[in-house]
Amino acid sequence: MNQYVIFYDAERAELFESDIKALLPVESCEFVAYDGQRLDDYQPDSPVLFWLSDDALYQLLPLASKQGWTIGFIPHPEMNRIHRSFSIPKNPAEAVEDILSVEAPVSADLMYCNHHLVLNSVMLGNPDMMKPAALVDESVWCKLKNLLLLVFSLKKMCLLPYKMVTAKETVVNTAALGISVVYRPSASEFTKRVVGETEQDEATLNAVILAPRSMSEVLHFLLTKVLPKRVVSKGVLAGYLGHIKTESISLSGSGQLDFSIDGQYFNAEKVDVVVEPDALQILSSHLPEKINHKDIKESVRVARLPKGEAVKALANRPFPLIHHADQEEIKEVFLTLRENAQASESYKVLMVLATLLATVGLFANSAPVIIGAMILAPLMAPIISLSMGVLRQNVDLVTESAKTLGVGILLALFFGTLLTVITPLSSVNHEISARLSPTLLDLGVAIISGIAAAYANARSEVAKSLAGVAIAVALVPPLAVSSIGIGWWDWPVFWGAFLLFMTNLAGIVLAAAATFLVLGFSPFQLAKKGLLLSLAFVAMVSIPLVFAFSSLVQEQQVASALKDFQMEGIVLKDVKIRSGEPMLVSAKLVSDHSLRDAQIEAVKREIETRLGTEIQLEAITAVVK
């Protein structure tokens, strides 16, 4: 009795005779030239080895599964998908040696889609997006070419509605740009980069759903899933991705579905994908270890995909530039902001501690301590809630947020003043003086921070960035400096620092409200009144900021004009100016000899000549020997 039956490609018989046959134990083999003949009644008593193309094996593998053949694979020039699906060595000699050394076959699963064998993947959705993502080449040129093709086709793309039912009757209704279904995640570049590679096989399929809600999310997908050569999955899905692991899945839509099986295109009203466990017995030592079928658990990770009314709003429509919130997201964010607007006990405690920490840091002239106070401070929460209340004209939210904000301000001023009174320090250091002259630049920081804060509150996946926003905008230190001004009975210190706080408050409220508007949290007709009031408040606060900014620009111009000033061995250093009539210029005059009044007067005239205006010179002389 023969030990092996060898099915070889009849069209490549000469290649088989010259390169493959000599690798086999000829005396114990039966050789069968295969050219597509039917084998329904064929019942071999020995293991069957295939040296055939993928096309031929699409026909034979279901038959081998049905009739219980023990099989093995010898690499064939056109055996590409089989090679990847069953981990076949590329070298024929190595593959034959592996087959002959295996004592007992191992079980392998097969995946079917609408009764068609699937060796690689099932793709649903926009082919322009899904095909390049699945078959992305390793060369830089192909990646760039695919990326350009995808970018140019973005205008034609839209989400389509899908209904998915898993093996355990879990129903998922969503809208997606594309869906990729594979057995092993490594079978597709797209699924491998989303799910990651698995070391063990399970009798389950993996469905990865791509559902971007905006053009920016599409571009993020392209940049992170198409361009990188290697991506290590961290188990965390982007907000526009979903993953279902189950034994079978049924997909349907609003009409006929266009889909592909291993690159071949089909059309049907319903797409059923199922994994047949232990369908094949294979002679191989290279297949991954199998997990016991009883230990399989279904996993459905689709919480952040479009659902409910969002499906109707997004399906069959062009992509917006950025993601607009749906009703469920608006409700969720609104509830969170309403909770943040409460003056809770923890809010009050953190406000007091942050103020005390900031005040100590200011007296100690320590930037790290002040940064710690910024992170600890909870003031950003009620301000963002206030911006949402202003945007949506919600009187209750505005009232509650303003009350909480007022409580925080009063606590900061009271405890900061108390600490100042008992602290025997009364000099203005660098950290204090840095918060006494706000300009339009500070308003710009507040506006950008307000945009970032609103976006972080609207997108839960970036909420971790709120600490950075708090550091950037620095709400508590200006209040602490204001309280120091009260403790010292110094009006300029109080006013300068409090103006900085009001600048931050106005900028954040306006920018956050505008950001929430752009993200779809309110219709413009409802929002315009609140936006106009916020804009008027910002304009009012900006008046002193404009003058301060003009002084800053003037100071920079003077410093630039007097840069590298030298006259008869006299060097000008540490130039500072103060606006007035005439302008006061304070500088250090460095020379190798003592300066006489006439020389200082000559320096003053030279400075006036360079600046083109009369000045008052405040000079400190320094002799360097």
Side-chain angles (χ1 to χ4, degrees):
M1 182 179 67
N2 294 319
Q3 293 182 356
Y4 299 99
V5 178
I6 315 298
F7 279 85
Y8 66 92
D9 188 348
E11 294 183 0
R12 294 177 177 259
E14 292 184 5
L15 180 62
F16 177 78
E17 291 287 340
S18 62
D19 292 359
I20 306 299
K21 193 171 184 179
L23 303 174
L24 299 163
V26 178
E27 65 282 355
S28 57
C29 293
E30 175 188 347
F31 297 95
V32 179
Y34 182 76
D35 59 359
Q37 65 268 34
R38 296 185 65 85
L39 299 170
D40 295 345
D41 298 326
Y42 186 73
Q43 296 288 347
D45 296 325
S46 306
V48 177
L49 308 185
F50 296 121
W51 186 75
L52 297 169
S53 66
D54 284 341
D55 290 340
L57 290 169
Y58 274 112
Q59 307 300 321
L60 291 180
L61 287 187
L63 181 64
S65 172
K66 179 180 178 181
Q67 298 189 358
W69 299 356
T70 297
I71 63 174
F73 299 102
I74 303 171
H76 180 280
E78 297 176 8
M79 187 186 283
N80 299 316
R81 292 191 175 94
I82 291 288
H83 164 77
R84 190 167 186 174
S85 297
F86 297 102
S87 304
I88 303 167
K90 293 183 178 180
N91 185 284
E94 185 182 343
V96 170
E97 182 181 356
D98 179 59
I99 290 171
L100 298 179
S101 66
V102 174
E103 296 181 0
V106 295
S107 298
D109 308 321
L110 285 180
M111 188 168 78
Y112 291 90
C113 175
N114 287 9
H115 306 293
H116 294 275
L117 177 65
V118 181
L119 295 177
N120 190 350
S121 63
V122 178
M123 292 283 185
L124 296 90
N126 190 293
D128 292 330
M129 173 65 73
M130 300 306 295
K131 185 177 179 181
L135 305 177
V136 60
D137 194 275
E138 291 297 324
S139 72
V140 175
W141 166 245
C142 285
K143 290 175 183 176
L144 292 175
K145 182 179 71 174
N146 285 331
L147 182 62
L148 289 174
L149 290 173
L150 291 172
V151 169
F152 284 124
S153 61
L154 284 179
K155 291 184 178 180
K156 301 182 293 182
M157 295 182 184
C158 63
L159 301 186
L160 298 174
Y162 290 100
K163 177 182 179 181
M164 292 168 266
V165 183
T166 69
K168 294 187 177 179
E169 300 298 324
T170 300
V171 179
V172 176
N173 287 292
T174 190
L177 186 60
I179 302 172
S180 176
V181 185
V182 297
Y183 167 69
R184 193 180 294 124
S186 59
S188 159
E189 286 291 338
F190 169 49
T191 53
K192 181 173 71 174
R193 294 174 185 219
V194 173
V195 181
E197 295 189 272
T198 54
E199 296 181 356
Q200 296 177 307
D201 279 347
E202 298 182 67
T204 59
L205 56 85
N206 290 271
V208 176
I209 303 107
L210 172 63
R213 305 186 188 207
S214 65
M215 196 72 74
S216 59
E217 289 187 342
V218 174
L219 293 174
H220 181 271
F221 164 74
L222 295 178
L223 293 173
T224 58
K225 296 298 181 289
V226 176
L227 281 182
K229 186 174 182 180
R230 297 183 64 189
V231 176
V232 179
S233 174
K234 298 180 180 178
V236 179
L237 296 178
Y240 51 79
L241 292 171
H243 175 219
I244 297 175
K245 186 178 74 172
T246 182
E247 297 171 74
S248 66
I249 190 167
S250 177
L251 301 106
S252 57
S254 58
Q256 292 279 8
L257 295 180
D258 295 320
F259 65 100
S260 66
I261 300 175
D262 296 343
Q264 185 177 357
Y265 290 92
F266 297 88
N267 185 279
E269 290 187 359
K270 191 176 182 183
V271 177
D272 294 312
V273 188
V274 61
V275 172
E276 185 179 324
D278 302 332
L280 293 176
Q281 299 298 311
I282 301 178
L283 296 170
S284 174
S285 62
H286 294 278
L287 284 170
E289 180 184 352
K290 281 286 298 292
I291 294 177
N292 192 309
H293 187 64
K294 295 180 181 179
D295 297 332
I296 293 175
K297 295 181 180 179
E298 185 173 274
S299 171
V300 180
R301 301 163 64 193
V302 295
R304 293 157 73 181
L305 297 185
K307 53 185 177 291
E309 293 298 320
V311 176
K312 296 179 181 179
L314 293 168
N316 299 308
R317 295 187 181 183
F319 284 115
L321 182 61
I322 60 174
H323 168 204
H324 290 176
D326 56 50
Q327 289 300 316
E328 293 186 16
E329 287 178 305
I330 292 174
K331 181 180 179 181
E332 182 180 343
V333 172
F334 199 78
L335 290 174
T336 301
L337 294 181
R338 184 179 289 279
E339 183 178 343
N340 291 343
Q342 303 296 318
S344 63
E345 181 180 351
S346 60
Y347 168 82
K348 296 173 185 176
V349 171
L350 287 176
M351 196 65 224
V352 172
L353 293 176
T355 302
L356 294 176
L357 188 61
T359 307
V360 171
L362 288 164
F363 279 128
N365 203 29
S366 174
V369 176
I370 297 172
I371 291 173
M374 297 175 196
I375 298 174
L376 190 62
L379 265 182
M380 183 65 81
I383 293 177
I384 297 301
S385 298
L386 177 63
S387 68
M388 178 66 85
V390 169
L391 180 74
R392 295 183 62 88
Q393 299 293 290
N394 188 301
V395 177
D396 292 339
L397 186 57
V398 169
T399 303
E400 194 65 35
S401 302
K403 186 189 301 182
T404 301
L405 184 60
V407 168
I409 293 172
L410 291 175
L411 286 173
L413 294 176
F414 176 78
F415 283 94
T417 302
L418 186 62
L419 184 58
T420 300
V421 170
I422 63 177
T423 302
L425 296 173
S426 58
S427 60
V428 177
N429 57 35
H430 172 72
E431 290 295 339
I432 294 176
S433 64
R435 293 167 173 84
L436 298 182
S437 301
T439 69
L440 289 176
L441 295 178
D442 295 291
L443 180 60
V445 171
I447 288 174
I448 296 172
S449 299
I451 294 171
Y455 187 78
N457 276 276
R459 301 285 186 266
S460 58
E461 65 270 21
V462 294
K464 58 186 178 182
S465 300
L466 277 173
V469 174
I471 294 172
V473 76
L475 288 163
V476 164
L479 283 176
V481 176
S482 296
S483 65
I484 290 173
I486 296 173
W488 290 348
W489 287 99
D490 190 324
W491 170 251
V493 171
F494 169 81
W495 168 246
F498 199 74
L499 178 60
L500 176 58
F501 174 76
M502 295 304 293
T503 299
N504 289 336
L505 176 61
I508 292 172
V509 170
L510 175 62
T515 302
F516 282 133
L517 175 66
V518 172
L519 292 176
F521 282 86
S522 175
F524 181 74
Q525 291 299 320
L526 178 63
K528 62 181 181 181
K529 183 178 179 181
L531 288 175
L532 288 174
L533 289 173
S534 301
L535 188 60
F537 186 40
V538 169
M540 183 175 62
V541 171
S542 298
I543 295 173
L545 302 184
V546 171
F547 292 109
F549 185 71
S550 298
S551 298
L552 177 64
V553 172
Q554 186 181 32
E555 184 176 347
Q556 293 293 327
Q557 290 173 341
V558 170
S560 178
L562 299 180
K563 184 179 180 182
D564 301 326
F565 179 97
Q566 285 190 359
M567 176 183 169
E568 299 179 357
I570 302 172
V571 178
L572 216 62
K573 291 187 177 181
D574 300 336
V575 178
K576 296 179 181 178
I577 71 162
R578 190 166 62 212
S579 299
E581 292 294 338
M583 178 195 304
L584 175 66
V585 176
S586 174
K588 182 186 291 185
L589 307 184
V590 181
S591 177
D592 59 358
H593 59 276
S594 298
L595 300 180
R596 298 186 303 274
D597 289 346
Q599 290 175 302
I600 297 175
E601 184 64 30
V603 170
K604 177 177 179 292
R605 287 196 300 271
E606 178 62 22
I607 292 175
E608 289 177 335
T609 300
R610 289 199 180 192
L611 299 182
T613 184
E614 183 182 352
I615 68 164
Q616 181 180 0
L617 178 64
E618 182 181 83
I620 300 173
T621 61
V623 178
V624 179
K625 293 291 187 180

